[in-house]
């Protein structure tokens, strides 16, 4: 060790893991975590804290790990986040805390994510129970959605003494953490269920199987059930499609449906009856984290899997680590390639995908070089499954059933960034429902900001 490089983390062998759903990354053992923690320079003005959307005292917890005081480290993180084992696994640290770490100027940044994961896992293995010393103030707040935005908002409000109930449409709490991100990146029964339970232990109630806008409306919650404020953290679960011929054939799925069947409904486990189809050869259209997750899932279910992406490797929006893992496992990348038609056999099932090759032109509004089709370059790829991972937008149900709630032209709820306030008094919003599909930690940051906004609003009503 020369201090320039981080302590490497153990991972399952690529060939072995491509055939199972167990976690890929095995995390640091205690000794490894303490050695890695010693690389932190404990900067006076820590840029990593400013790089974290929930402002975790990163040097504070890392110094505690370095000294072997893991319980103290857990307490430091708990002041800002209830989801350390989750964030340590899925946050894009490379563009946030680790992206600005001073160690990264001449060598590798401190492995902040892996250390956060170590502390979260250590807390779970040592049965640390979160404390909530606040006194109940009797004011009721409803939180819609149990993803990272809702869980964070609910946890922060419970710590301030509010009587908080989360209403969740699905039968399990966690949002994308349970239905979207696969088991091999984020174990559900151990990691997610435990951290959701920690939010419950702060006093938050979670009512599952309750669709706001169908089971009960926001107006009814506020006018008839005594909720003084509502936080909408309903995410962006509505999949987009390309609207090309053949897209309604059997064997075409949205990545959301494909992943939900496998993750939430456990299709990969032999003891479950959930049907899932990915045939012998699958094409996943898209280049984000969702595409990588769908492709790596299809591979594990036994299909030769192709990513079809219209730009080049440089523009792939997925995290570098996910792309690296996908390549190691044997996913085939068809880059600079765009589907034009899904080919369907006489029984209505997918038999292939017609694609056109692309070249990159001048940058477009997103700043990335615009892909341009190359005339006459069309070809057919034989596949029996197509999974569309093109992005998602918020479901319109809540906005269409709530009086006075404004949305923007992308269908996202209009809310102020600082405190999450919306056009409707007493109703706050944050996370993917406001930003469109983004990240776990940004959703948590928005949940935190809205908790502050709700507290200010309700204290005003108390006075
Ligand atoms: C496959 C996949 C992989 C991803 N990988 C990463 C990653 O590696 N790192 C990362 O940082 N981000 C990742 N993301 C993005 C990240 O998961 C989301 O940005 C984040 O979960 C958004 O949190 P949220 O709380 O706003 O919404 P969600 O997590 O979507 O939670 C919203 C919840 O609200 C519920 N809900 C919706 N409508 C209603 C209603 N009417 N009534 C009651 N409940 C309702 C939903 O069922 C859901 O449980 C990924 C996303 C996907 C889909």
């Amino acid at each position: 060790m020369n201090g320039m490089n981080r302590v490497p983390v153990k991972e399952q062998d690529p060939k072995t893991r491509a055939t199972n759903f167990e976690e890929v990354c095995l995390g640091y053992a205690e000794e490894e975590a303490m050695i890695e923690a010693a690389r932190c320079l404990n900067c006076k003005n820590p840029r990593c804290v400013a790089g974290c959307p929930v402002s975790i005292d990163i040097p504070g917890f890392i110094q505690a790990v370095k000294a072997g005081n893991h319980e103290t480290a857990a307490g430091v993180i708990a002041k800002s986040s209830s989801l350390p084992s989750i964030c340590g696994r899925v946050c894009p640290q490379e563009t946030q805390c680790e992206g600005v770490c001073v160690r990264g100027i001449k060598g590798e940044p401190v492995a902040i994510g892996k250390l956060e994961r170590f502390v979260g896992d250590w807390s779970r293995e040592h049965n640390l129970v979160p404390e909530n010393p606040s006194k109940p103030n009797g004011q009721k707040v409803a939180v819609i959605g149990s993803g990272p935005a809702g869980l964070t908002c609910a946890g922060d409000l419970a710590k301030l003494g509010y009587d908080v109930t989360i209403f969740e449409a699905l039968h399990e709490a966690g949002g994308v953490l349970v239905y979207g991100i696969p088991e091999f990146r984020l174990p559900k029964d151990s990691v997610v269920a435990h951290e959701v339970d920690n939010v419950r232990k702060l006093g938050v109630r979670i009512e599952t199987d309750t669709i706001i806008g169908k089971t009960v409306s926001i107006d009814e919650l506020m006018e008839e059930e005594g909720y003084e404020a509502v936080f909408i953290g309903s995410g962006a679960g509505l999949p987009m499609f390309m609207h090309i011929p053949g897209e309604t054939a059997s064997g075409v799925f949205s990545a959301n449906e494909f992943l939900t069947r496998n993750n939430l409904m456990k299709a990969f486990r032999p003891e479950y009856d959930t049907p899932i189809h990915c045939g012998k050869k699958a094409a996943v259209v898209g280049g984000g984290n969702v595409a990588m997750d769908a492709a790596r899932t299809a591979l594990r279910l036994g299909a030769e899997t192709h990513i079809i992406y219209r730009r080049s490797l440089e523009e792939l929006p997925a995290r570098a680590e996910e792309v690296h893992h996908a390549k190691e496992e044997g996913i085939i990348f068809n880059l600079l390639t765009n589907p034009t038609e899904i080919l369907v056999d006489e029984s209505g099932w997918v038999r292939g995908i017609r694609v056109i090759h692309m070249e990159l032109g001048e940058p477009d509004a997103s700043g990335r070089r615009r892909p341009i089709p190359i005339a006459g370059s069309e070809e057919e790829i034989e596949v029996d499954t197509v999974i569309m991972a093109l992005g998602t937008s918020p479901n319109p149900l809540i906005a269409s059933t709530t009086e006075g709630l404004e949305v923007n032209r992308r269908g996202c709820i209009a809310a102020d960034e600082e405190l999450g306030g919306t056009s409707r008094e007493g109703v706050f919003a944050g996370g993917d429902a406001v930003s469109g599909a983004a990240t776990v930690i940004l959703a948590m940051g928005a949940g935190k900001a809205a908790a502050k906004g709700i507290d200010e609003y309700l204290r005003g009503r108390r006075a």
Side-chain angles (χ1 to χ4, degrees):
M1 290 288 303
N2 56 13
M4 290 297 160
N5 298 330
R6 52 174 60 180
V7 176
V9 68
K10 292 184 196 72
E11 288 175 349
Q12 262 201 82
D13 170 68
K15 274 213 180 93
T16 313
R17 71 181 192 236
T19 61
N20 69 47
F21 278 87
E22 280 148 41
E23 202 173 1
V24 169
C25 175
L26 304 176
Y28 282 148
E30 182 177 22
E31 196 189 345
E32 293 169 323
M34 288 170 71
I35 297 172
E36 179 61 19
R39 293 183 63 236
C40 173
L41 300 172
N42 197 11
C43 304
K44 250 202 186 128
N45 295 312
R47 300 198 296 182
C48 52
V49 179
C52 170
V54 297
S55 309
I56 293 175
D57 175 5
I58 293 168
F61 95 76
I62 292 183
Q63 292 311 302
V65 173
K66 177 178 158 188
N69 296 330
H70 309 316
E71 188 164 348
T72 307
V76 173
I77 297 178
K79 283 191 191 139
S80 312
S81 166
S82 302
L83 313 176
S85 285
I86 293 168
C87 290
R89 283 170 168 83
V90 303
C91 265
Q93 292 99 5
E94 66 276 15
T95 56
Q96 294 180 337
C97 52
E98 293 179 12
V100 289
C101 171
V102 171
R103 271 283 186 201
I105 297 171
K106 286 199 178 144
E108 288 184 308
V110 175
I112 300 169
K114 301 285 183 286
L115 290 173
E116 185 185 17
R117 165 188 167 141
F118 166 77
V119 174
D121 289 359
W122 189 94
S123 312
R124 184 179 70 248
E125 285 151 16
H126 290 79
N127 299 318
L128 294 197
V129 178
E131 285 174 14
N132 183 3
S134 68
K135 273 206 189 122
N137 63 24
Q139 287 181 290
K140 280 170 69 173
V141 182
V143 168
I144 304 171
S146 63
L151 290 170
T152 303
C153 183
D156 278 16
L157 288 170
K159 286 193 224 163
L160 291 168
Y162 292 97
D163 177 355
V164 188
T165 304
I166 297 182
F167 295 98
E168 168 55 53
L170 297 173
H171 63 274
E172 229 172 89
V176 171
L177 308 174
V178 289
Y179 80 73
I181 303 181
E183 188 75 20
F184 54 81
R185 286 213 289 133
L186 184 63
K188 312 295 161 223
D189 294 346
S190 49
V191 176
V192 181
H194 176 82
E195 293 197 340
V196 169
D197 240 26
N198 278 349
V199 175
R200 280 197 186 92
K201 284 178 186 148
L202 294 172
V204 172
R205 265 186 310 281
I206 305 183
E207 290 200 13
T208 52
D209 298 313
T210 310
I211 305 176
I212 301 302
K214 285 230 186 273
T215 324
V216 60
S217 68
I218 289 185
D219 296 337
E220 285 164 342
L221 287 174
M222 297 184 85
E223 285 154 25
E224 294 167 26
E225 300 203 18
Y227 289 94
E228 292 188 52
V230 174
F231 172 73
I232 306 171
S234 49
L238 195 67
M240 293 177 191
F241 286 92
M242 291 187 80
H243 307 291
I244 54 175
E247 223 174 3
T248 54
S250 303
V252 181
F253 297 89
S254 70
N256 260 35
E257 177 183 345
F258 182 72
L259 289 169
T260 302
R261 282 174 182 271
N262 203 60
N263 300 330
L264 183 71
M265 299 162 75
K266 313 276 186 239
F268 71 95
R269 291 204 178 143
E271 67 273 25
Y272 279 73
D273 290 336
T274 310
I276 194 158
H277 168 88
C278 72
K280 288 200 173 75
K281 238 175 140 182
V284 177
V285 183
N289 285 323
V290 182
M292 295 307 134
D293 283 343
R296 295 172 71 199
T297 298
L299 181 88
R300 281 162 171 75
L301 291 170
E304 174 188 302
T305 307
H306 293 247
I307 289 273
I308 313 272
Y309 179 59
R310 62 195 183 134
R311 290 185 161 98
S312 74
L313 198 60
E314 266 175 42
E315 290 85 18
L316 266 179
R319 288 184 65 195
E321 185 175 271
E322 304 315 323
V323 177
H324 169 71
H325 281 154
K327 282 188 177 166
E328 274 188 340
E329 290 166 9
I331 303 288
I332 301 158
F333 282 75
N334 296 59
L335 300 168
L336 288 166
T337 306
N338 204 30
T340 54
E341 180 181 354
I342 293 166
L343 307 165
V344 187
D345 68 17
E346 55 291 343
S347 58
W349 278 85
V350 171
R351 66 169 179 83
I353 185 165
R354 192 192 305 279
V355 296
I356 187 160
H357 293 277
M358 314 289 277
E359 58 190 353
L360 294 179
E362 293 301 311
D364 61 16
S366 72
R368 294 175 301 170
R369 292 177 64 196
R370 185 192 302 276
I372 303 167
I374 304 173
S377 68
E378 278 189 293
E379 65 163 319
E380 289 181 13
I381 304 174
E382 201 185 301
V383 292
D384 43 26
T385 306
V386 175
I387 301 168
M388 293 293 185
L390 302 161
T392 52
S393 61
N395 189 308
L397 178 66
I398 288 182
S400 64
T401 54
T402 309
E403 198 62 44
L405 189 65
E406 277 173 21
V407 292
N408 65 21
R409 62 185 170 80
R410 292 187 300 136
C412 297
I413 296 169
D416 107 72
E417 245 177 62
E418 212 182 318
L419 297 170
T422 69
S423 53
R424 165 82 187 263
E425 194 190 325
V427 178
F428 296 73
D432 282 7
V434 168
S435 59
T439 63
V440 169
I441 196 73
L442 287 174
M444 289 172 66
K448 232 179 199 336
K452 205 166 153 233
I454 290 172
D455 181 45
E456 277 180 19
Y457 169 70
L458 291 182
R459 266 190 290 147
R461 275 169 69 101
R462 233 179 287 160

